[in-house]
Amino acid sequence: MSLRPMFSLQKTSMKRTLTVAITTAALFSAAHASAQTLRFAHVDPDDWTTSKKGAAGQVFKNLVEAETDLTVELYPAGSLGGETELIEGAQDGTISIAMVSGAYANFCPAVAVTDIPYTFPSAPVAWEVMDGEFGTALAEHCLEQTGLRTLAYGETGFRHFTNSVRPIHTPEDMQGLKFRVQTIPLYLEMVTALGGEPQGIAWGEVPTALATGVVDGQENPISVIYGNNFYEFQDYLTLDRHVYGVDHILINDEIFQSLSEEEQAAVNRAAVVAGTTGRAIQQFNSAEGITKLQAEGMEITQPTAEQMKAFREAAQPPVQAYLRNELGDDAEWIDRLSSAVNDASSRF
């Protein structure tokens, strides 16, 4: 009896088994080929109860890791550098995702238009503008310029003036007062237009400058004012909401494109939730912070609608003129933002 048929059958069976094994391994490998670690960095503390970026980062990590095989490593509190370094790191791919605010305008100048003083009358208007057509168009524009994809927007919140001299109800009350501001031309232009004397002082030197009277006041969101105990040096707070700070959740686009469609979708969803969470934390801490600052003895002024109009009419024209000159062809973003704000304001 010949053994050839049996041997042939065994050989065929072995080939089928090997083929199945190879196919299974290939499928497994393909399914996990994009599994990687995403490095998410920001400059805020990691404590989600006090930090909008800290809360956003933790939410992003939990959602992405729950829905994909991706791992998210968080680098809070400027552990990988300041915002400029984080953006540069995201561009060269050493950082996957950077959550940043004002520094992004140094890489995509059109972003600066969102800092035009007294542009956003309320947070809901800002959310609708940034999450709508304007924000989408700005994201696409900046992607072309920087190679960074905007996954979602968060917020650093509205900025307000504090000082140790007198209550501020109108721009006239700012005459002669020295205010610490960020060393950003737009802020220098704004304070000068309002009648104050802007002083560019490094962040680490602000408490000493306030305590020793080198400056009379400063401007920041409520959570920063309370969190840094500025009430120890400042007696007056004016809720003028002169600038609404936008947070940008940015990912290196090459890294994003390397992800599977399912992973991209999960990352997009997680970023939107993260940005929304950051906004919520910021809003809660701002509302609670006002009560805490009152308890600490600060006199708080809420300008009337007419007084807010005076602030806006004093500050906006010179800042817009400065930006139009700086932006050149990109100056159209000023008008696009104004149109979007007017449209959103009609619904709030």
Side-chain angles (χ1 to χ4, degrees), residues 243-279:
V243 170
Y244 173 85
V246 177
D247 270 338
H248 307 260
I249 304 179
L250 309 171
I251 187 170
N252 177 290
D253 195 49
E254 289 185 6
I255 291 176
F256 182 80
Q257 297 298 342
S258 74
L259 303 177
S260 68
E261 290 185 6
E262 292 77 11
E263 288 168 339
Q264 289 179 1
V267 164
N268 277 323
R269 288 193 299 270
V272 171
V273 176
T276 302
T277 301
R279 287 170 173 170

Side-chain angles (χ1 to χ4, degrees), residues 21-44:
I22 292 174
T23 302
T24 301
L27 290 173
F28 182 87
S29 177
H32 292 76
S34 62
Q36 57 182 281
T37 297
L38 301 179
R39 293 156 60 89
F40 187 120
H42 59 81
V43 299
D44 277 12

Side-chain angles (χ1 to χ4, degrees), residues 327-338:
L327 292 176
D329 292 341
D330 284 342
E332 64 165 324
W333 289 98
I334 296 174
D335 301 316
R336 294 178 69 168
L337 175 59
S338 178

Side-chain angles (χ1 to χ4, degrees), residues 77-143:
S79 57
L80 296 183
E83 287 202 341
T84 296
E85 289 74 26
L86 297 188
I87 296 169
E88 291 172 344
Q91 285 184 313
D92 65 30
T94 56
I95 295 171
S96 312
I97 300 168
M99 188 171 184
V100 298
S101 51
Y104 194 34
N106 295 325
F107 297 80
C108 182
V111 166
V113 303
T114 62
D115 279 347
I116 293 174
Y118 307 103
T119 289
F120 297 105
S122 68
V125 168
W127 300 338
E128 181 148 332
V129 169
M130 298 311 299
D131 294 342
E133 292 181 7
F134 173 84
T136 299
L138 182 64
E140 292 173 351
H141 171 75
C142 290
L143 172 59

Side-chain angles (χ1 to χ4, degrees), residues 118 171 189-190 193-195 308-319:
Y118 307 103
E189 291 281 343
M190 174 184 67
L194 290 172
M308 287 295 294
K309 180 180 178 182
F311 279 108
R312 184 169 58 255
E313 291 180 346
Q316 268 196 6
V319 171

Side-chain angles (χ1 to χ4, degrees), residues 40 46 48 54-74 266 269-271 273-274 277:
F40 187 120
D46 196 35
W48 70 268
Q58 292 184 42
V59 165
F60 181 86
K61 172 182 173 66
N62 291 337
L63 290 177
V64 169
E65 291 185 345
E67 296 184 21
T68 72
D69 289 329
L70 298 170
T71 298
V72 178
E73 292 180 351
L74 298 178
R269 288 193 299 270
V273 176
T277 301

Side-chain angles (χ1 to χ4, degrees), residues 112-177:
V113 303
T114 62
D115 279 347
I116 293 174
Y118 307 103
T119 289
F120 297 105
S122 68
V125 168
W127 300 338
E128 181 148 332
V129 169
M130 298 311 299
D131 294 342
E133 292 181 7
F134 173 84
T136 299
L138 182 64
E140 292 173 351
H141 171 75
C142 290
L143 172 59
E144 293 176 358
Q145 292 210 338
T146 67
L148 300 176
R149 176 178 295 272
T150 302
L151 294 172
Y153 296 102
E155 71 174 30
T156 61
F158 279 111
R159 306 178 74 92
H160 312 277
F161 288 109
T162 68
N163 81 96
S164 59
V165 179
R166 56 177 174 263
I168 294 175
H169 299 274
T170 66
E172 287 72 22
D173 295 325
M174 294 182 64
Q175 293 291 328
L177 298 184

